[in-house]
Amino acid sequence: MSTVEAGARRGPVAGPPSSHRSLAGPLLLAAAVLWLYLGFASLWSTGAVVPVAWALLGAYLVPTALVIELGRRRPGVSGVVLLRTLLLGSLLAAVTTATLGDGVPRLLGSLIPAWATGLLLPAVIEIAAIALTVRALGRRMDLTARSGLFVGAALGAGYAAFAALGGILRAISALTGVPLPAAAPPTALLEGAVTIQQALLGPLGHPVWGALLGAAVMTSRGALTRVIAVVLASQLLVAAAFTISGGLVGTSGAALFLQTGLTALASWPAVLTLRAAVRRSSAVDRERAAQAGGA
C-alpha cells in the first residue's frame, strides 16, 4: 500500500481532459498483437516461461486498459495512482487466494457447507478488503464519492486480472498432456478461448463491484450497507452462473462463449446499479462543493 499512498500524498492530480486521445485503444491493439505472437510461440517453445508470459499478458491486458481509460476521466486521482491501485488489488486477491487455499476449507469443512467456503467466503473477504482499502486510502487522499468510485474500480480491476490469470493458468495446466477427443479443437485454441473469455468478462464483475463499494464507502454508512448487499448478491449470482453454465456446456470453444454470455447477463444488474451510483455520487460531490463554497 505504501506505493499507492506515496503517490496519494502528493495530493489529488486530475488526469488529462477526456478530449485527449485515449491510450487504451492503441494499448489493446499492440498488446493483442503481442499476445497472438506469444500464443504461436508457445506452440514450439518447450519451456514454461512463454506460456506464463502469454497468460500474464492475456490476464492483465483488459483490466490495465480499463484503468488507463478511467484515468482520462478526471477522477480526482492520477492515472499513475490508479495503476498502482490495480496492482494493490491483485496483491489483495493473491492474499485472499493464499488464505482460502486448502487450509481454511479443510478447517471449516465440518462447520459450514462447501458452497459457502467456495462462493460466500471469498465474496465476503473481497468486499471487506476493498471497502477497508478505499477507506484507508480515502484518509490519505481526501477522496470524494466520485474519486472513491474510481479507486474502487481500480482495486476491482486488480482482482479481475488476478482471477483471469488463475483461470488461464488452470486451463493451461488442465489441458497440458491431456488427449482431447477427435472433434475437439487444438489445445492452444481452447487456452486462447479461455483468455478471450476472461478478457470479455474482465470489465463486468470485479471492477463494477469495486466501484460500487468505493463510492458507497465515501458517501454514507447507510449507502454502504445497501451496496454490500447488492454486491454480495451479484457476486454469488455471477459465480453460480459461471460454475453452473460451465458444468452444463463443457469446455469447447463454442461452450466457452455461451458461458461468457450467460455470465455477462448475470453481471448486468450490478452494471445498472453502478450507473445509478455514478449519478448519485456526482450529485453528492456537487452538494458538498456547494456547501464548501457557501461556507
Side-chain angles (χ1 to χ4, degrees):
M1 190 180 299
S2 59
T3 56
V4 177
E5 292 176 349
R9 282 195 290 270
R10 291 192 288 271
V13 180
S18 58
S19 59
H20 284 193
R21 185 178 178 182
S22 172
L23 294 176
L27 171 67
L28 278 170
L29 179 60
V33 172
L34 180 58
W35 177 78
L36 285 173
Y37 169 75
L38 289 176
F40 283 114
S42 65
L43 296 177
W44 63 75
S45 174
T46 57
V49 175
V50 173
V52 170
W54 185 55
L56 279 169
L57 181 61
Y60 278 85
L61 172 56
V62 171
T64 301
L66 173 65
V67 170
I68 290 174
E69 181 62 25
L70 290 177
R72 294 179 59 243
R73 301 181 180 274
R74 294 185 178 275
V77 290
S78 72
V80 173
V81 169
L82 289 179
L83 287 172
R84 290 174 178 172
T85 306
L86 179 149
L87 295 177
L88 176 60
S90 288
L91 178 60
L92 292 174
V95 171
T96 300
T97 301
T99 303
L100 297 179
D102 295 331
V104 171
R106 187 165 53 246
L107 179 64
L108 300 178
S110 59
L111 303 177
I112 58 178
W115 68 267
T117 57
L119 295 178
L120 183 60
L121 193 57
V124 170
I125 291 179
E126 179 180 345
I127 289 171
I130 291 179
L132 291 174
T133 302
V134 171
R135 171 59 68 185
L137 295 178
R139 294 182 184 276
R140 310 282 302 199
M141 303 165 68
D142 193 23
L143 294 179
T144 63
R146 185 169 183 272
S147 57
L149 183 150
F150 282 86
V151 170
L155 285 169
Y159 267 87
F162 189 84
L165 178 61
I168 296 166
L169 291 177
R170 282 194 297 272
I172 293 175
S173 176
L175 295 173
T176 299
V178 177
L180 297 176
T187 300
L189 288 182
L190 285 178
E191 293 168 354
V194 171
T195 305
I196 294 172
Q197 177 196 60
Q198 295 297 321
L200 292 173
L201 294 176
L204 294 178
H206 299 279
V208 172
W209 303 327
L212 286 170
L213 289 167
V217 164
M218 304 311 300
T219 303
S220 68
R221 186 171 299 177
L224 179 59
T225 302
R226 293 192 299 271
V227 165
I228 287 176
V230 170
V231 170
L232 183 59
S234 179
Q235 283 194 321
L236 294 178
L237 178 62
V238 168
F242 189 88
T243 303
I244 294 173
S245 60
L248 291 176
V249 300
T251 57
S252 67
L256 285 171
F257 282 104
L258 177 60
Q259 182 188 35
T260 303
L262 294 175
T263 306
L265 184 64
S267 304
W268 196 244
V271 174
L272 296 178
T273 304
L274 177 60
R275 291 182 62 185
V278 169
R279 291 193 292 268
R280 286 196 301 270
S281 63
S282 298
V284 168
D285 287 347
R286 286 195 298 269
E287 181 180 348
R288 288 180 176 176
Q291 291 174 352

